[in-house]
Amino acid sequence: MNTLGQDAKNHGAAVGLSVDRITINGGKPLIGRIELRGAKNLVTKAMVAAILGDGPSVLKNVPNISDVRIVRGLLEVHGVHAKEGPEDGELILDPSAVETAHMADIDAHAGSSRIPILFCGPLLHRLGEAFIPDLGGCRIGDRPIDFHLDVLRNFGAIVDKLPSGIRMSAPHGLRGAKVSLPYPSVGATEQVLLTAVLAEGLTELSGAAIEPEIMDLINILQKMGAVITVATDRVIRIEGVPRLGGYTHRALSDRNEAASWAAAALATEGSIYVGGARQDEMLTFLNVFRKVGGDFEINDEGIRFFHTGEPLHPVIIETDVHPGFMTDWQQPLVVALAKARGVSIVHETVYEQRFGFVDALVEMGASIDVRKECLGGMRCRFGQRNFHHSAVISGPTTLRGADIEVPDLRGGFSHLIAALTAEGRSTVSNVGIIARGYENFITKLQLLGADFTLDA
Ligand code: EPZ
């Protein structure tokens, strides 16, 4: 098995974040070893949580991805001092000089991130005001923030919508609230956590998201001095405290990246050892991976995902909130389902429009029909609303190389896998989006034996 050399890592750090198009000669199995770093969907929130502390925080296992750089830039325009620590992947954040930022600066740094909405609670506590520009994020649906704004109003914030964004103020401070989320939204749950910890009194949140990244954020807040309990019925209770200190924390690994490389091993008929992957965070994924016909070996440091040499089987997947099958896991797996013998169904119940990526797969020869019906047993918010949120994948099909463009982060990784699986040559453009969430993915492809060239 290959291991990641330092020079290859440096090379990947350089090319992985700046290249825009790669040409891939498909049909080779990916074989080797990669190492995960901290989860994108925890690290970015942990960085925001540092604002709440009255001392510096140290975050470890931080990945070199553009979403982290975006949040670091946003923290710095708000006067938070950020610097690399002595360890690789360590970030030291000092919020002592936090200040109101200029709208233009926030807008310039916010870019394609949705994280700015999570600055509200911490900034309202520290400064009594916050400004949020119109948000970005992958185009996988409307991505509303109504839950967030309702939550902040519940805590006593005054929310003014402006042409350029949203201004908030809390002239009388923030008070604990009883909040019930209409859907277990990850972001809205984080909004409650980051606001309630310093609010006066008790907050009770029902209908909360309980993803491992949420639980790791709770670990961080407890280290800072927060008092938080999580009940088995998705009810989280937070007792507001007068002050919070800094934290030192090693972020949990990125299970979404692990699932992406596992899907790549299956589709290319290879074998990839993913260091840092944890069984307890991927239980549902592992069940589906095995049902499709893949297999895995688990040890204390990670998981080896591999194709068994046998034909793949069709499955019915319904995405859901944790502990269900994560919405971020389906895109990379769809390529393997295109090779399975039979008809698979993916009923996407978290986002209304998350099958845009299949157009490129169909162009390459996949047989995928995206339907408006809820094709599954789950009650879904998108039924009878004309959203094409169920995919019917018929196989086996052989993918042929094509020129494709990355539409969003997870769909983009699916495009990489399709190009690696297809017969012949493909060009994948706009790959910079993939660097938002996958650290050094170019280096990792090299180490796994992929046959490609960079067209910077
Ligand atoms: C987080 O997005 C993740 N992003 C997503 O990962 C992930 O897919 C998603 O959670 C679900 O697990 C980050 O953590 C940065 P939600 P988030 O609020 O918080 C609706 C990736 O590729 N909703 O749980 O934005 C929303 O439209 C990304 O890493 C409202 O209606 O997701 C969606 O249908 C993609 N109003 C559902 O809730 C709101 O105010 C779930 O969204 C908020 C959300």
Side-chain angles (χ1 to χ4, degrees), residues 263-264 266-268 292 312 329-340 357-358 361 364 366 368 393 397 399 410-411 413-422:
L266 198 56
T268 62
V292 176
L312 300 184
W329 293 343
Q330 55 101 336
Q331 303 79 12
L333 200 62
V334 164
V335 181
L337 298 182
K339 296 177 73 169
F357 72 97
V358 306
L361 304 188
M364 297 171 86
I368 304 175
I393 303 118
T397 52
L399 300 187
R410 306 300 175 186
F413 202 92
S414 175
H415 285 187
L416 278 186
I417 297 176
L420 291 162
T421 304

PDB file of all heavy atoms in Angstrom, residues 263-264 266-268 292 312 329-340 357-358 361 364 366 368 393 397 399 410-411 413-422:
ATOM      1  N   ALA A 263     -16.722   4.890  -1.626  1.00  0.00           N
ATOM      2  CA  ALA A 263     -17.498   4.756  -2.862  1.00  0.00           C
ATOM      3  C   ALA A 263     -16.565   4.691  -4.072  1.00  0.00           C
ATOM      4  O   ALA A 263     -16.810   3.946  -5.027  1.00  0.00           O
ATOM      5  CB  ALA A 263     -18.462   5.940  -2.995  1.00  0.00           C
ATOM      6  N   ALA A 264     -15.461   5.431  -4.006  1.00  0.00           N
ATOM      7  CA  ALA A 264     -14.486   5.417  -5.106  1.00  0.00           C
ATOM      8  C   ALA A 264     -13.833   4.035  -5.217  1.00  0.00           C
ATOM      9  O   ALA A 264     -13.629   3.502  -6.315  1.00  0.00           O
ATOM     10  CB  ALA A 264     -13.429   6.496  -4.874  1.00  0.00           C
ATOM     11  N   LEU A 266     -15.184   1.217  -4.378  1.00  0.00           N
ATOM     12  CA  LEU A 266     -16.174   0.276  -4.902  1.00  0.00           C
ATOM     13  C   LEU A 266     -16.347   0.446  -6.408  1.00  0.00           C
ATOM     14  O   LEU A 266     -16.314  -0.507  -7.182  1.00  0.00           O
ATOM     15  CB  LEU A 266     -17.501   0.509  -4.183  1.00  0.00           C
ATOM     16  CG  LEU A 266     -18.538  -0.588  -4.257  1.00  0.00           C
ATOM     17  CD1 LEU A 266     -17.983  -1.910  -3.758  1.00  0.00           C
ATOM     18  CD2 LEU A 266     -19.784  -0.195  -3.469  1.00  0.00           C
ATOM     19  N   ALA A 267     -16.491   1.698  -6.846  1.00  0.00           N
ATOM     20  CA  ALA A 267     -16.785   1.963  -8.270  1.00  0.00           C
ATOM     21  C   ALA A 267     -15.595   1.608  -9.162  1.00  0.00           C
ATOM     22  O   ALA A 267     -15.770   1.128 -10.280  1.00  0.00           O
ATOM     23  CB  ALA A 267     -17.159   3.428  -8.462  1.00  0.00           C
ATOM     24  N   THR A 268     -14.359   1.812  -8.648  1.00  0.00           N
ATOM     25  CA  THR A 268     -13.175   1.519  -9.487  1.00  0.00           C
ATOM     26  C   THR A 268     -12.663   0.097  -9.268  1.00  0.00           C
ATOM     27  O   THR A 268     -11.621  -0.279  -9.787  1.00  0.00           O
ATOM     28  CB  THR A 268     -12.026   2.503  -9.152  1.00  0.00           C
ATOM     29  OG1 THR A 268     -11.647   2.316  -7.776  1.00  0.00           O
ATOM     30  CG2 THR A 268     -12.444   3.956  -9.386  1.00  0.00           C
ATOM     31  N   VAL A 292     -24.512  -3.393  -1.130  1.00  0.00           N
ATOM     32  CA  VAL A 292     -24.226  -3.157  -2.566  1.00  0.00           C
ATOM     33  C   VAL A 292     -23.238  -4.215  -3.072  1.00  0.00           C
ATOM     34  O   VAL A 292     -23.174  -4.507  -4.265  1.00  0.00           O
ATOM     35  CB  VAL A 292     -23.662  -1.734  -2.775  1.00  0.00           C
ATOM     36  CG1 VAL A 292     -23.275  -1.503  -4.228  1.00  0.00           C
ATOM     37  CG2 VAL A 292     -24.689  -0.688  -2.357  1.00  0.00           C
ATOM     38  N   LEU A 312     -21.849  -6.139  -8.340  1.00  0.00           N
ATOM     39  CA  LEU A 312     -22.526  -5.297  -7.352  1.00  0.00           C
ATOM     40  C   LEU A 312     -24.037  -5.505  -7.425  1.00  0.00           C
ATOM     41  O   LEU A 312     -24.576  -5.872  -8.471  1.00  0.00           O
ATOM     42  CB  LEU A 312     -22.173  -3.828  -7.595  1.00  0.00           C
ATOM     43  CG  LEU A 312     -20.683  -3.481  -7.505  1.00  0.00           C
ATOM     44  CD1 LEU A 312     -20.476  -1.973  -7.679  1.00  0.00           C
ATOM     45  CD2 LEU A 312     -20.080  -3.957  -6.199  1.00  0.00           C
ATOM     46  N   TRP A 329     -23.720  11.290   1.507  1.00  0.00           N
ATOM     47  CA  TRP A 329     -23.103  10.024   1.122  1.00  0.00           C
ATOM     48  C   TRP A 329     -23.645   9.504  -0.197  1.00  0.00           C
ATOM     49  O   TRP A 329     -23.023   8.636  -0.834  1.00  0.00           O
ATOM     50  CB  TRP A 329     -23.376   8.957   2.206  1.00  0.00           C
ATOM     51  CG  TRP A 329     -22.704   9.209   3.524  1.00  0.00           C
ATOM     52  CD1 TRP A 329     -21.657  10.053   3.772  1.00  0.00           C
ATOM     53  CD2 TRP A 329     -23.048   8.615   4.785  1.00  0.00           C
ATOM     54  NE1 TRP A 329     -21.334  10.019   5.106  1.00  0.00           N
ATOM     55  CE2 TRP A 329     -22.166   9.138   5.752  1.00  0.00           C
ATOM     56  CE3 TRP A 329     -24.003   7.701   5.194  1.00  0.00           C
ATOM     57  CZ2 TRP A 329     -22.201   8.770   7.093  1.00  0.00           C
ATOM     58  CZ3 TRP A 329     -24.044   7.316   6.540  1.00  0.00           C
ATOM     59  CH2 TRP A 329     -23.163   7.845   7.472  1.00  0.00           C
ATOM     60  N   GLN A 330     -24.802   9.981  -0.636  1.00  0.00           N
ATOM     61  CA  GLN A 330     -25.440   9.319  -1.797  1.00  0.00           C
ATOM     62  C   GLN A 330     -24.758   9.661  -3.127  1.00  0.00           C
ATOM     63  O   GLN A 330     -24.576   8.789  -3.973  1.00  0.00           O
ATOM     64  CB  GLN A 330     -26.933   9.625  -1.850  1.00  0.00           C
ATOM     65  CG  GLN A 330     -27.356  11.080  -1.864  1.00  0.00           C
ATOM     66  CD  GLN A 330     -27.748  11.630  -3.220  1.00  0.00           C
ATOM     67  OE1 GLN A 330     -27.309  11.112  -4.254  1.00  0.00           O
ATOM     68  NE2 GLN A 330     -28.524  12.697  -3.219  1.00  0.00           N
ATOM     69  N   GLN A 331     -24.313  10.914  -3.327  1.00  0.00           N
ATOM     70  CA  GLN A 331     -23.765  11.280  -4.636  1.00  0.00           C
ATOM     71  C   GLN A 331     -22.592  10.374  -5.060  1.00  0.00           C
ATOM     72  O   GLN A 331     -22.615   9.776  -6.138  1.00  0.00           O
ATOM     73  CB  GLN A 331     -23.325  12.741  -4.648  1.00  0.00           C
ATOM     74  CG  GLN A 331     -24.406  13.744  -4.289  1.00  0.00           C
ATOM     75  CD  GLN A 331     -24.656  13.848  -2.802  1.00  0.00           C
ATOM     76  OE1 GLN A 331     -23.878  13.333  -1.992  1.00  0.00           O
ATOM     77  NE2 GLN A 331     -25.758  14.464  -2.427  1.00  0.00           N
ATOM     78  N   PRO A 332     -21.563  10.223  -4.222  1.00  0.00           N
ATOM     79  CA  PRO A 332     -20.441   9.370  -4.657  1.00  0.00           C
ATOM     80  C   PRO A 332     -20.847   7.911  -4.883  1.00  0.00           C
ATOM     81  O   PRO A 332     -20.322   7.230  -5.749  1.00  0.00           O
ATOM     82  CB  PRO A 332     -19.436   9.473  -3.496  1.00  0.00           C
ATOM     83  CG  PRO A 332     -19.777  10.755  -2.813  1.00  0.00           C
ATOM     84  CD  PRO A 332     -21.264  10.876  -2.927  1.00  0.00           C
ATOM     85  N   LEU A 333     -21.874   7.443  -4.144  1.00  0.00           N
ATOM     86  CA  LEU A 333     -22.245   6.024  -4.246  1.00  0.00           C
ATOM     87  C   LEU A 333     -23.050   5.723  -5.517  1.00  0.00           C
ATOM     88  O   LEU A 333     -23.064   4.593  -6.006  1.00  0.00           O
ATOM     89  CB  LEU A 333     -23.050   5.609  -3.007  1.00  0.00           C
ATOM     90  CG  LEU A 333     -23.109   4.115  -2.703  1.00  0.00           C
ATOM     91  CD1 LEU A 333     -21.717   3.549  -2.423  1.00  0.00           C
ATOM     92  CD2 LEU A 333     -24.041   3.828  -1.540  1.00  0.00           C
ATOM     93  N   VAL A 334     -23.684   6.748  -6.060  1.00  0.00           N
ATOM     94  CA  VAL A 334     -24.545   6.537  -7.243  1.00  0.00           C
ATOM     95  C   VAL A 334     -23.746   5.960  -8.409  1.00  0.00           C
ATOM     96  O   VAL A 334     -24.244   5.150  -9.196  1.00  0.00           O
ATOM     97  CB  VAL A 334     -25.251   7.853  -7.641  1.00  0.00           C
ATOM     98  CG1 VAL A 334     -25.823   7.787  -9.042  1.00  0.00           C
ATOM     99  CG2 VAL A 334     -26.362   8.174  -6.635  1.00  0.00           C
ATOM    100  N   VAL A 335     -22.456   6.311  -8.509  1.00  0.00           N
ATOM    101  CA  VAL A 335     -21.646   5.792  -9.624  1.00  0.00           C
ATOM    102  C   VAL A 335     -21.525   4.273  -9.509  1.00  0.00           C
ATOM    103  O   VAL A 335     -21.672   3.536 -10.493  1.00  0.00           O
ATOM    104  CB  VAL A 335     -20.260   6.449  -9.634  1.00  0.00           C
ATOM    105  CG1 VAL A 335     -19.430   5.918 -10.818  1.00  0.00           C
ATOM    106  CG2 VAL A 335     -20.372   7.966  -9.733  1.00  0.00           C
ATOM    107  N   ALA A 336     -21.305   3.778  -8.302  1.00  0.00           N
ATOM    108  CA  ALA A 336     -21.221   2.313  -8.116  1.00  0.00           C
ATOM    109  C   ALA A 336     -22.567   1.667  -8.413  1.00  0.00           C
ATOM    110  O   ALA A 336     -22.633   0.587  -9.011  1.00  0.00           O
ATOM    111  CB  ALA A 336     -20.788   2.001  -6.684  1.00  0.00           C
ATOM    112  N   LEU A 337     -23.662   2.348  -8.054  1.00  0.00           N
ATOM    113  CA  LEU A 337     -24.995   1.786  -8.314  1.00  0.00           C
ATOM    114  C   LEU A 337     -25.254   1.674  -9.813  1.00  0.00           C
ATOM    115  O   LEU A 337     -25.975   0.786 -10.267  1.00  0.00           O
ATOM    116  CB  LEU A 337     -26.070   2.650  -7.645  1.00  0.00           C
ATOM    117  CG  LEU A 337     -25.998   2.748  -6.122  1.00  0.00           C
ATOM    118  CD1 LEU A 337     -27.146   3.602  -5.577  1.00  0.00           C
ATOM    119  CD2 LEU A 337     -26.012   1.356  -5.496  1.00  0.00           C
ATOM    120  N   ALA A 338     -24.623   2.576 -10.598  1.00  0.00           N
ATOM    121  CA  ALA A 338     -24.781   2.498 -12.062  1.00  0.00           C
ATOM    122  C   ALA A 338     -24.146   1.223 -12.614  1.00  0.00           C
ATOM    123  O   ALA A 338     -24.477   0.779 -13.721  1.00  0.00           O
ATOM    124  CB  ALA A 338     -24.144   3.714 -12.717  1.00  0.00           C
ATOM    125  N   LYS A 339     -23.234   0.616 -11.822  1.00  0.00           N
ATOM    126  CA  LYS A 339     -22.559  -0.612 -12.274  1.00  0.00           C
ATOM    127  C   LYS A 339     -23.237  -1.852 -11.688  1.00  0.00           C
ATOM    128  O   LYS A 339     -22.874  -2.978 -12.031  1.00  0.00           O
ATOM    129  CB  LYS A 339     -21.076  -0.581 -11.854  1.00  0.00           C
ATOM    130  CG  LYS A 339     -20.281   0.551 -12.508  1.00  0.00           C
ATOM    131  CD  LYS A 339     -18.843   0.584 -12.021  1.00  0.00           C
ATOM    132  CE  LYS A 339     -18.014  -0.548 -12.591  1.00  0.00           C
ATOM    133  NZ  LYS A 339     -16.544  -0.347 -12.313  1.00  0.00           N
ATOM    134  N   ALA A 340     -24.210  -1.638 -10.768  1.00  0.00           N
ATOM    135  CA  ALA A 340     -24.860  -2.792 -10.120  1.00  0.00           C
ATOM    136  C   ALA A 340     -25.829  -3.468 -11.087  1.00  0.00           C
ATOM    137  O   ALA A 340     -26.353  -2.831 -12.005  1.00  0.00           O
ATOM    138  CB  ALA A 340     -25.599  -2.325  -8.872  1.00  0.00           C
ATOM    139  N   PHE A 357     -26.171  16.465 -10.206  1.00  0.00           N
ATOM    140  CA  PHE A 357     -24.918  15.834 -10.654  1.00  0.00           C
ATOM    141  C   PHE A 357     -25.155  14.662 -11.604  1.00  0.00           C
ATOM    142  O   PHE A 357     -24.263  14.256 -12.353  1.00  0.00           O
ATOM    143  CB  PHE A 357     -24.101  15.377  -9.444  1.00  0.00           C
ATOM    144  CG  PHE A 357     -24.676  14.179  -8.741  1.00  0.00           C
ATOM    145  CD1 PHE A 357     -24.202  12.915  -9.018  1.00  0.00           C
ATOM    146  CD2 PHE A 357     -25.728  14.312  -7.847  1.00  0.00           C
ATOM    147  CE1 PHE A 357     -24.731  11.796  -8.399  1.00  0.00           C
ATOM    148  CE2 PHE A 357     -26.280  13.201  -7.220  1.00  0.00           C
ATOM    149  CZ  PHE A 357     -25.783  11.937  -7.498  1.00  0.00           C
ATOM    150  N   VAL A 358     -26.379  14.084 -11.623  1.00  0.00           N
ATOM    151  CA  VAL A 358     -26.560  12.861 -12.422  1.00  0.00           C
ATOM    152  C   VAL A 358     -26.543  13.145 -13.921  1.00  0.00           C
ATOM    153  O   VAL A 358     -26.298  12.245 -14.733  1.00  0.00           O
ATOM    154  CB  VAL A 358     -27.840  12.082 -12.042  1.00  0.00           C
ATOM    155  CG1 VAL A 358     -27.899  11.780 -10.564  1.00  0.00           C
ATOM    156  CG2 VAL A 358     -29.094  12.775 -12.522  1.00  0.00           C
ATOM    157  N   LEU A 361     -23.442  11.974 -15.373  1.00  0.00           N
ATOM    158  CA  LEU A 361     -23.330  10.505 -15.375  1.00  0.00           C
ATOM    159  C   LEU A 361     -24.135   9.926 -16.528  1.00  0.00           C
ATOM    160  O   LEU A 361     -23.697   8.993 -17.212  1.00  0.00           O
ATOM    161  CB  LEU A 361     -23.834   9.931 -14.035  1.00  0.00           C
ATOM    162  CG  LEU A 361     -23.183  10.453 -12.748  1.00  0.00           C
ATOM    163  CD1 LEU A 361     -23.662   9.627 -11.553  1.00  0.00           C
ATOM    164  CD2 LEU A 361     -21.676  10.421 -12.849  1.00  0.00           C
ATOM    165  N   MET A 364     -22.385  10.174 -19.657  1.00  0.00           N
ATOM    166  CA  MET A 364     -21.293   9.185 -19.762  1.00  0.00           C
ATOM    167  C   MET A 364     -21.831   7.780 -19.998  1.00  0.00           C
ATOM    168  O   MET A 364     -21.059   6.831 -20.149  1.00  0.00           O
ATOM    169  CB  MET A 364     -20.441   9.228 -18.485  1.00  0.00           C
ATOM    170  CG  MET A 364     -19.754  10.567 -18.281  1.00  0.00           C
ATOM    171  SD  MET A 364     -18.972  10.672 -16.650  1.00  0.00           S
ATOM    172  CE  MET A 364     -17.386   9.923 -17.028  1.00  0.00           C
ATOM    173  N   ALA A 366     -24.683   6.366 -18.044  1.00  0.00           N
ATOM    174  CA  ALA A 366     -25.500   5.795 -16.959  1.00  0.00           C
ATOM    175  C   ALA A 366     -26.966   5.896 -17.334  1.00  0.00           C
ATOM    176  O   ALA A 366     -27.353   6.760 -18.132  1.00  0.00           O
ATOM    177  CB  ALA A 366     -25.229   6.549 -15.653  1.00  0.00           C
ATOM    178  N   ILE A 368     -30.119   6.773 -15.533  1.00  0.00           N
ATOM    179  CA  ILE A 368     -30.657   7.319 -14.274  1.00  0.00           C
ATOM    180  C   ILE A 368     -31.848   8.204 -14.591  1.00  0.00           C
ATOM    181  O   ILE A 368     -31.759   9.122 -15.406  1.00  0.00           O
ATOM    182  CB  ILE A 368     -29.594   8.157 -13.536  1.00  0.00           C
ATOM    183  CG1 ILE A 368     -28.334   7.335 -13.275  1.00  0.00           C
ATOM    184  CG2 ILE A 368     -30.166   8.689 -12.213  1.00  0.00           C
ATOM    185  CD1 ILE A 368     -27.190   8.118 -12.648  1.00  0.00           C
ATOM    186  N   ILE A 393     -31.861   4.217 -10.671  1.00  0.00           N
ATOM    187  CA  ILE A 393     -30.604   3.909 -11.358  1.00  0.00           C
ATOM    188  C   ILE A 393     -30.648   2.474 -11.864  1.00  0.00           C
ATOM    189  O   ILE A 393     -30.765   1.538 -11.064  1.00  0.00           O
ATOM    190  CB  ILE A 393     -29.402   4.072 -10.397  1.00  0.00           C
ATOM    191  CG1 ILE A 393     -29.374   5.499  -9.819  1.00  0.00           C
ATOM    192  CG2 ILE A 393     -28.090   3.766 -11.107  1.00  0.00           C
ATOM    193  CD1 ILE A 393     -29.517   5.559  -8.322  1.00  0.00           C
ATOM    194  N   THR A 397     -24.414  -0.555 -16.241  1.00  0.00           N
ATOM    195  CA  THR A 397     -24.077   0.246 -17.423  1.00  0.00           C
ATOM    196  C   THR A 397     -22.570   0.471 -17.422  1.00  0.00           C
ATOM    197  O   THR A 397     -21.926   0.431 -16.373  1.00  0.00           O
ATOM    198  CB  THR A 397     -24.774   1.633 -17.384  1.00  0.00           C
ATOM    199  OG1 THR A 397     -24.481   2.249 -16.127  1.00  0.00           O
ATOM    200  CG2 THR A 397     -26.274   1.491 -17.556  1.00  0.00           C
ATOM    201  N   LEU A 399     -19.709   3.191 -18.175  1.00  0.00           N
ATOM    202  CA  LEU A 399     -19.521   4.638 -18.365  1.00  0.00           C
ATOM    203  C   LEU A 399     -18.379   4.870 -19.352  1.00  0.00           C
ATOM    204  O   LEU A 399     -17.366   4.182 -19.322  1.00  0.00           O
ATOM    205  CB  LEU A 399     -19.203   5.311 -17.020  1.00  0.00           C
ATOM    206  CG  LEU A 399     -20.258   5.173 -15.917  1.00  0.00           C
ATOM    207  CD1 LEU A 399     -19.868   6.041 -14.712  1.00  0.00           C
ATOM    208  CD2 LEU A 399     -21.642   5.570 -16.426  1.00  0.00           C
ATOM    209  N   ARG A 410     -20.205  17.582  -3.251  1.00  0.00           N
ATOM    210  CA  ARG A 410     -20.331  16.116  -3.231  1.00  0.00           C
ATOM    211  C   ARG A 410     -20.627  15.592  -4.631  1.00  0.00           C
ATOM    212  O   ARG A 410     -20.129  14.529  -5.033  1.00  0.00           O
ATOM    213  CB  ARG A 410     -21.420  15.686  -2.251  1.00  0.00           C
ATOM    214  CG  ARG A 410     -21.264  16.224  -0.859  1.00  0.00           C
ATOM    215  CD  ARG A 410     -19.958  15.799  -0.191  1.00  0.00           C
ATOM    216  NE  ARG A 410     -19.822  16.469   1.111  1.00  0.00           N
ATOM    217  CZ  ARG A 410     -18.770  16.419   1.885  1.00  0.00           C
ATOM    218  NH1 ARG A 410     -17.732  15.718   1.496  1.00  0.00           N
ATOM    219  NH2 ARG A 410     -18.711  17.072   3.019  1.00  0.00           N
ATOM    220  N   GLY A 411     -21.413  16.345  -5.402  1.00  0.00           N
ATOM    221  CA  GLY A 411     -21.639  15.956  -6.791  1.00  0.00           C
ATOM    222  C   GLY A 411     -20.324  15.980  -7.555  1.00  0.00           C
ATOM    223  O   GLY A 411     -20.078  15.150  -8.431  1.00  0.00           O
ATOM    224  N   PHE A 413     -17.366  15.282  -6.350  1.00  0.00           N
ATOM    225  CA  PHE A 413     -16.581  14.070  -6.059  1.00  0.00           C
ATOM    226  C   PHE A 413     -17.158  12.894  -6.829  1.00  0.00           C
ATOM    227  O   PHE A 413     -16.438  12.027  -7.330  1.00  0.00           O
ATOM    228  CB  PHE A 413     -16.567  13.776  -4.553  1.00  0.00           C
ATOM    229  CG  PHE A 413     -15.401  12.913  -4.154  1.00  0.00           C
ATOM    230  CD1 PHE A 413     -14.213  13.482  -3.743  1.00  0.00           C
ATOM    231  CD2 PHE A 413     -15.485  11.538  -4.227  1.00  0.00           C
ATOM    232  CE1 PHE A 413     -13.118  12.686  -3.399  1.00  0.00           C
ATOM    233  CE2 PHE A 413     -14.403  10.735  -3.896  1.00  0.00           C
ATOM    234  CZ  PHE A 413     -13.217  11.304  -3.484  1.00  0.00           C
ATOM    235  N   SER A 414     -18.478  12.905  -6.986  1.00  0.00           N
ATOM    236  CA  SER A 414     -19.127  11.850  -7.784  1.00  0.00           C
ATOM    237  C   SER A 414     -18.622  11.916  -9.226  1.00  0.00           C
ATOM    238  O   SER A 414     -18.362  10.885  -9.864  1.00  0.00           O
ATOM    239  CB  SER A 414     -20.642  12.063  -7.746  1.00  0.00           C
ATOM    240  OG  SER A 414     -21.287  11.151  -8.585  1.00  0.00           O
ATOM    241  N   HIS A 415     -18.402  13.109  -9.731  1.00  0.00           N
ATOM    242  CA  HIS A 415     -17.879  13.263 -11.093  1.00  0.00           C
ATOM    243  C   HIS A 415     -16.464  12.720 -11.196  1.00  0.00           C
ATOM    244  O   HIS A 415     -16.095  12.070 -12.189  1.00  0.00           O
ATOM    245  CB  HIS A 415     -17.905  14.740 -11.508  1.00  0.00           C
ATOM    246  CG  HIS A 415     -19.271  15.236 -11.838  1.00  0.00           C
ATOM    247  ND1 HIS A 415     -19.497  16.474 -12.368  1.00  0.00           N
ATOM    248  CD2 HIS A 415     -20.490  14.657 -11.723  1.00  0.00           C
ATOM    249  CE1 HIS A 415     -20.791  16.639 -12.571  1.00  0.00           C
ATOM    250  NE2 HIS A 415     -21.411  15.541 -12.185  1.00  0.00           N
ATOM    251  N   LEU A 416     -15.662  12.950 -10.151  1.00  0.00           N
ATOM    252  CA  LEU A 416     -14.295  12.390 -10.156  1.00  0.00           C
ATOM    253  C   LEU A 416     -14.367  10.873 -10.241  1.00  0.00           C
ATOM    254  O   LEU A 416     -13.678  10.238 -11.052  1.00  0.00           O
ATOM    255  CB  LEU A 416     -13.563  12.768  -8.864  1.00  0.00           C
ATOM    256  CG  LEU A 416     -12.898  14.133  -8.736  1.00  0.00           C
ATOM    257  CD1 LEU A 416     -12.117  14.185  -7.425  1.00  0.00           C
ATOM    258  CD2 LEU A 416     -11.986  14.425  -9.920  1.00  0.00           C
ATOM    259  N   ILE A 417     -15.235  10.291  -9.420  1.00  0.00           N
ATOM    260  CA  ILE A 417     -15.350   8.828  -9.391  1.00  0.00           C
ATOM    261  C   ILE A 417     -15.826   8.307 -10.743  1.00  0.00           C
ATOM    262  O   ILE A 417     -15.328   7.314 -11.275  1.00  0.00           O
ATOM    263  CB  ILE A 417     -16.318   8.377  -8.282  1.00  0.00           C
ATOM    264  CG1 ILE A 417     -15.788   8.784  -6.908  1.00  0.00           C
ATOM    265  CG2 ILE A 417     -16.542   6.865  -8.339  1.00  0.00           C
ATOM    266  CD1 ILE A 417     -16.740   8.457  -5.754  1.00  0.00           C
ATOM    267  N   ALA A 418     -16.770   9.041 -11.350  1.00  0.00           N
ATOM    268  CA  ALA A 418     -17.283   8.614 -12.665  1.00  0.00           C
ATOM    269  C   ALA A 418     -16.157   8.619 -13.694  1.00  0.00           C
ATOM    270  O   ALA A 418     -15.991   7.668 -14.461  1.00  0.00           O
ATOM    271  CB  ALA A 418     -18.412   9.544 -13.102  1.00  0.00           C
ATOM    272  N   ALA A 419     -15.339   9.655 -13.680  1.00  0.00           N
ATOM    273  CA  ALA A 419     -14.233   9.754 -14.642  1.00  0.00           C
ATOM    274  C   ALA A 419     -13.193   8.662 -14.376  1.00  0.00           C
ATOM    275  O   ALA A 419     -12.624   8.082 -15.305  1.00  0.00           O
ATOM    276  CB  ALA A 419     -13.586  11.124 -14.555  1.00  0.00           C
ATOM    277  N   LEU A 420     -12.972   8.345 -13.100  1.00  0.00           N
ATOM    278  CA  LEU A 420     -11.994   7.302 -12.747  1.00  0.00           C
ATOM    279  C   LEU A 420     -12.516   5.917 -13.130  1.00  0.00           C
ATOM    280  O   LEU A 420     -11.744   4.996 -13.381  1.00  0.00           O
ATOM    281  CB  LEU A 420     -11.727   7.340 -11.232  1.00  0.00           C
ATOM    282  CG  LEU A 420     -10.964   8.558 -10.720  1.00  0.00           C
ATOM    283  CD1 LEU A 420     -11.160   8.711  -9.207  1.00  0.00           C
ATOM    284  CD2 LEU A 420      -9.481   8.449 -11.081  1.00  0.00           C
ATOM    285  N   THR A 421     -13.843   5.791 -13.181  1.00  0.00           N
ATOM    286  CA  THR A 421     -14.472   4.498 -13.472  1.00  0.00           C
ATOM    287  C   THR A 421     -14.682   4.294 -14.967  1.00  0.00           C
ATOM    288  O   THR A 421     -14.624   3.178 -15.473  1.00  0.00           O
ATOM    289  CB  THR A 421     -15.847   4.453 -12.752  1.00  0.00           C
ATOM    290  OG1 THR A 421     -15.643   4.702 -11.360  1.00  0.00           O
ATOM    291  CG2 THR A 421     -16.549   3.123 -12.949  1.00  0.00           C
ATOM    292  N   ALA A 422     -14.890   5.401 -15.680  1.00  0.00           N
ATOM    293  CA  ALA A 422     -15.288   5.316 -17.103  1.00  0.00           C
ATOM    294  C   ALA A 422     -14.168   4.741 -17.964  1.00  0.00           C
ATOM    295  O   ALA A 422     -12.992   4.853 -17.636  1.00  0.00           O
ATOM    296  CB  ALA A 422     -15.656   6.708 -17.596  1.00  0.00           C
TER     297      ALA A 422
END
